[in-house]
Amino acid sequence: MPDAVLPHARPVPLDKAYRLINHGPTVLVSASHGDQVNAMAAAWACALDFSPPKVTVVLDKSTRTRELVEASGVFVLSLPTVAQASLTVALGTDSAKQVHDKLARLGVQTVPAPGSGAPLVPGCVAWLVCRVVPEPHNQQAYDLFIGEVTAAWADERVFRDGRWHFDQAPDALRTLHHVAGGQFFAIGQAVSGTPTE
Amino acid sequence: MPDAVLPHARPVPLDKAYRLINHGPTVLVSASHGDQVNAMAAAWACALDFSPPKVTVVLDKSTRTRELVEASGVFVLSLPTVAQASLTVALGTDSAKQVHDKLARLGVQTVPAPGSGAPLVPGCVAWLVCRVVPEPHNQQAYDLFIGEVTAAWADERVFRDGRWHFDQAPDALRTLHHVAGGQFFAIGQAVSGTPTE
């Protein structure tokens, strides 16, 4: 990982990758094909399997990002932070089909992932590179894409030893959880459940 | 809605139902068939569509709840709270296949939803009754079920006017977001994003 650009990113073992999105964060979905790259916000991403780790994500047919995902067979889920709430709204509002230099206008310069070159969004706290598992019926009927996670990284300030540690880092690094219309909640306090019997 | 059992439950318009799970909470999945009823915890539930509202949920083949979902064609997503963290762990740990009186032992007495009779879990802050949209390939290959939301309710203390209002209610009513091994985060502070340009 290029230290100067993502200085806190550390690899996450694939068998722990599901934990990056298990708590239901809003994500940025990015993809590239040829010299094109784009990213969009998505609240509808979810873990699907542990090993090999798989995820689902809903990508509307109107989006440029979906076209790049279909062309390349690869997408990245990046987890934005409280500090990136406005950027996340902008990435979810503008379309690269109308605003052709969308990423440049928003000041986003993606970073190629080691190995695949898939575009990671800087400033996020986790990144999952996913290979599309082709399921044409789901993609057409439900806009639902399945991806197998092939590489993952997380920001060591908030994710270490296979767990999130938001309580020990600045609140600006907490993940975002979208409700509607640009209104989010940050992830909150740790809560431990113990079996009742 | 039986006021004595779920005194704070109010109907949620179907076009706002996606907002109940948009922020990525862990859910309880419940189902009934004949005189059998069961519930389990699931972190892998997600919105899939706005209108008609649809959701996805992953149900392992080993679970009794899945058998009831397949037999009845209906499931309920109930959103547990911080106050129910230990119950949620227990519902996700025990299996009704080994512990035949699982719900009774955990002190859970479900409430039949008005109209469908689908089993709602008391103490939660939202409930979505879902009709299975049969997709045998997804169910077999990925344990992935699609449901269309046919009715929804939420606790008026935390969900009003189509929005969550966790900041104005006791923290015990916040939703749970599972990481792993009985460790959760509560949903946290409200964050507003404004477009950056």
Side-chain angles (χ1 to χ4, degrees), chain A residues 22 44 86 135 142 184 186 188 194, chain B residues 22 44 86 135 142 186 188 191 194:
Chain A
N22 218 50
W44 298 353
S86 293
E135 288 285 358
Y142 302 111
F184 302 89
T194 52
Chain B
N22 217 51
W44 298 352
S86 293
E135 287 286 357
Y142 302 111
V191 176
T194 52

Side-chain angles (χ1 to χ4, degrees), chain A residues 60-108:
Chain A
D60 193 82
K61 292 180 184 71
S62 69
T63 64
R64 175 75 77 195
T65 299
R66 174 171 170 156
E67 295 176 357
L68 299 177
V69 171
E70 290 179 322
S72 67
V74 174
F75 62 86
V76 178
L77 304 184
S78 298
L79 272 59
T81 67
V82 165
Q84 294 173 302
S86 293
L87 173 65
T88 303
V89 172
L91 284 170
T93 305
D94 296 344
S95 169
K97 290 190 178 182
Q98 280 79 48
V99 184
H100 290 284
D101 54 350
K102 171 179 165 181
L103 290 195
R105 287 172 65 128
L106 294 172
V108 174

